[in-house]
Amino acid sequence: MNEGLRRRTPSMCQVPTYITRVADGTEKGLALAVDLGGTNLRVCSVDLHGDNTYSVLQSNMPIPREVMVGERASLLFSFIARRVMTFLETYHQDCLPREPQSTRQGPRTFNLGFTFSYPAYQTGINSGTLLHWAKGFDIPEAVGKDPCKLLQDEIDLLHLPVRVTALVNDAAGTIMSRAYTLPASRARTSIGVIVGTGSNSVYLEKLSKVTKPLEGQYDRSAGEMLMSIEWGSFNNHLSVIPNTSYDTELNQFSVYPGDQMFEKRFSGMYLGELLRIVLLSMHRDPKISLFYGITRGGAATNDKPHLYTRWSVDSSILSVAEGDDSNNLETLRRKIEETLRIPADNISIGDAHAVKEVAHALGKRAARLVGMALGAVVLQSEQLTSPVSTADIAAPEHGIIDVAVDGSVFEHFPGFETYMREAMRAVDGIGTAGEKRIRISIAKDGSSVGAAIIALLAAQQAEDTMGS
């Protein structure tokens, strides 16, 4: 992490977000957010009330495969812009200009936060460079370009009164949404973690420790900035993190072999495939013969059990396996039939128990890796060792480190936080006493609500800069 603060590195980017303050719940205003997720696009408007509460209007839609993969970036970004236009026509018609050509001259101009959860190096609070795609996207033309500009260009073609004011990492959005809802008496949120389809962490770092060049404008008087670690690529050369033959096979057949090696062990994008690879190995082992009697079936995909098909198994099966404690594992057996497309007659109770054991091992390993990484972030933030003032000691939550988490893996895999905490207690410098000071809370939908908050703060920061 320290190396990433000194220079741009391929494995631990430590991307500056140019966000130098955390919301305190007094912010007011209406802003838009676009959250480009793995398979869905979310457009929402967030009305901040200034009293730690907000109201949200939102629309979700699947992203067509033809705009996720292709040569032209305009297909994806025009799709997003059109969805923003439809959203405004549905929920904020009164705010649109009467004449389409009167761009940004209507009753209001909307500030928009663009949650872009793909490896990008930010060059300003509303600009950055896409490093590479992930989560099934593959549009070569967009790599090396600014996603905010690509979106703004398409918005302008539609003459919408919308200004993209912030490029937002989903973990940063999670911090903001959690912090906004906390009353002033509570410890402020300083770390955000995403453990869903992908994974990352953002934390508050002292600006004095960031010695690499920062290209964009920011408030230098703040003394700190949210930094995006991009920990998915930690230890790509595998000198530290665990590696098995199953991990090697998954990496070999992934979209980006050799990259995101840390994330490939615990994010939702990969856990289902890891499980499938292990189960297929057990099925082919004559000493085990898992799911005895099934065959590959016909050449058509619909005739073939998903056990034989790469990237066909959703990670939700791991949560079902971990959560089913019944004697006959009936819920899990139905999930195996549904997800792996294995006939019920070929799924014995012993088979289901084997699936449960493997899912437990993968889930526990995933949680412990995330816990180890979070422990490192806590140590880097120096919150366990920083001197505090008399006023801080008197505060009701003195010493609490507030961590906001979002993502389906963390939320749905039973015991995920428990296993994370086991790992944190084993980290030198944290131990049992330090782990007890770390409060982990779910910030549901933080990536969209937080993006709107950051969009408003960014617009205010730009106005202050122009005024000075």
Side-chain angles (χ1 to χ4, degrees):
M1 290 176 71
N2 283 320
E3 183 182 4
L5 297 177
R6 291 191 294 267
R7 64 185 183 90
R8 288 179 62 169
T9 66
S11 60
M12 295 288 283
C13 291
Q14 286 281 55
V15 177
T17 67
Y18 298 92
I19 302 167
T20 55
R21 58 168 290 230
V22 174
D24 60 17
T26 62
E27 296 84 0
K28 299 176 72 172
L30 179 68
L32 301 178
V34 166
D35 184 2
L36 184 64
T39 56
N40 290 287
L41 177 73
R42 176 182 300 166
V43 180
C44 70
S45 61
V46 180
D47 190 4
L48 304 176
H49 303 153
D51 58 359
N52 303 110
T53 67
Y54 56 81
S55 53
V56 180
L57 295 171
Q58 63 179 317
S59 174
N60 294 279
M61 61 224 69
I63 303 171
R65 180 66 180 171
E66 58 268 24
V67 306
M68 294 175 63
V69 177
E71 295 298 322
R72 295 169 52 204
S74 60
L75 291 178
L76 172 63
F77 290 94
S78 63
F79 168 78
I80 298 172
R82 290 195 302 272
R83 298 290 81 77
V84 172
M85 180 176 67
T86 301
F87 180 85
L88 292 176
E89 290 173 344
T90 303
Y91 296 105
H92 299 285
Q93 179 67 47
D94 57 326
C95 295
L96 293 174
R98 295 181 180 179
E99 296 297 329
Q101 301 300 321
S102 58
T103 308
R104 303 180 188 172
Q105 300 299 317
R108 72 182 312 139
T109 295
F110 288 92
N111 295 304
L112 183 146
F114 186 18
T115 300
F116 189 76
S117 306
Y118 304 88
Y121 197 87
Q122 282 195 240
T123 54
I125 200 164
N126 66 338
S127 63
T129 302
L130 173 62
L131 302 176
H132 63 78
W133 288 104
K135 304 179 187 178
F137 281 80
D138 187 14
I139 309 171
E141 185 185 61
V143 176
K145 295 185 178 179
D146 180 358
C148 284
K149 185 178 186 306
L150 291 171
L151 178 56
Q152 187 69 66
D153 287 347
E154 297 297 332
I155 286 173
D156 290 345
L157 287 175
L158 296 175
H159 305 290
L160 299 176
V162 175
R163 180 176 57 229
V164 182
T165 56
L167 179 61
V168 181
N169 180 289
D170 51 1
T174 297
I175 289 179
M176 285 296 186
S177 64
R178 164 73 178 165
Y180 188 83
T181 60
L182 291 177
S185 60
R186 302 287 294 275
R188 71 170 180 169
T189 310
S190 57
I191 300 173
V193 176
I194 298 292
V195 192
T197 304
S199 183
N200 189 28
S201 179
V202 168
Y203 73 108
L204 269 175
E205 180 61 276
K206 296 179 180 64
L207 280 170
S208 60
K209 294 168 65 177
V210 184
T211 56
K212 63 183 176 182
L214 298 178
E215 303 170 36
Q217 294 183 335
Y218 60 95
D219 181 3
R220 286 169 169 77
S221 67
E224 55 190 6
M225 179 184 291
L226 289 176
M227 301 294 292
S228 177
I229 302 168
E230 302 297 329
W231 70 19
S233 291
F234 168 63
N235 200 229
N236 277 340
H237 52 288
L238 301 180
S239 63
V240 178
I241 59 177
N243 192 46
T244 68
S245 60
Y246 312 114
D247 297 309
T248 299
E249 181 176 341
L250 179 141
N251 174 60
Q252 179 184 353
F253 291 96
S254 65
V255 176
Y256 296 103
D259 196 18
Q260 303 292 103
M261 298 299 282
F262 188 49
E263 180 180 297
K264 284 174 179 173
R265 281 141 182 79
F266 58 82
S267 79
M269 183 78 181
Y270 303 105
L271 282 174
E273 175 64 2
L274 268 177
L275 176 66
R276 187 201 67 81
I277 291 171
V278 177
L279 297 182
L280 180 60
S281 174
M282 295 171 68
H283 168 65
R284 288 172 169 168
D285 187 337
K287 296 179 181 179
I288 302 175
S289 296
L290 189 72
F291 308 129
Y292 180 78
I294 68 167
T295 62
R296 282 183 173 271
T301 302
N302 290 339
D303 297 333
K304 186 188 300 183
H306 280 175
L307 182 66
Y308 298 105
T309 306
R310 295 193 187 279
W311 306 105
S312 61
V313 177
D314 184 86
S315 63
S316 62
I317 188 174
L318 281 84
S319 298
V320 174
E322 185 73 3
D324 188 355
D325 292 322
S326 63
N327 291 330
N328 61 1
L329 298 179
E330 187 62 34
T331 300
L332 175 56
R333 291 166 73 184
R334 285 198 302 269
K335 186 68 173 178
I336 293 171
E337 180 181 7
E338 168 196 325
T339 303
L340 296 176
R341 292 189 178 177
I342 294 174
D345 293 343
N346 294 105
I347 307 171
S348 68
I349 293 180
D351 291 336
H353 275 288
V355 173
K356 183 176 176 66
E357 286 298 313
V358 175
H360 172 77
L362 290 172
K364 184 175 182 179
R365 182 182 77 156
R368 289 180 64 85
L369 287 171
V370 174
M372 175 277 296
L374 175 57
V377 176
V378 169
L379 291 176
Q380 176 68 21
S381 72
E382 300 181 349
Q383 293 185 74
L384 288 176
T385 57
S386 296
V388 294
S389 66
T390 304
D392 289 333
I393 293 175
E397 293 202 323
H398 162 62
I400 295 296
I401 301 169
D402 195 83
V403 180
V405 182
D406 195 9
S408 56
V409 175
F410 177 86
E411 183 178 359
H412 297 302
F413 188 88
F416 199 88
E417 181 180 344
T418 299
Y419 299 132
M420 282 177 60
R421 290 187 176 278
E422 285 180 2
M424 284 191 286
R425 287 194 291 272
V427 174
D428 290 342
I430 294 183
T432 301
E435 178 267 320
K436 288 180 179 179
R437 291 173 54 185
I438 301 170
R439 178 172 60 207
I440 301 175
S441 303
I442 290 182
K444 191 65 178 169
D445 297 329
S447 58
S448 51
V449 174
I453 296 172
I454 293 171
L456 286 174
L457 293 178
Q460 182 61 57
Q461 180 174 310
E463 291 176 8
D464 292 344
T465 301
M466 290 178 63
S468 59

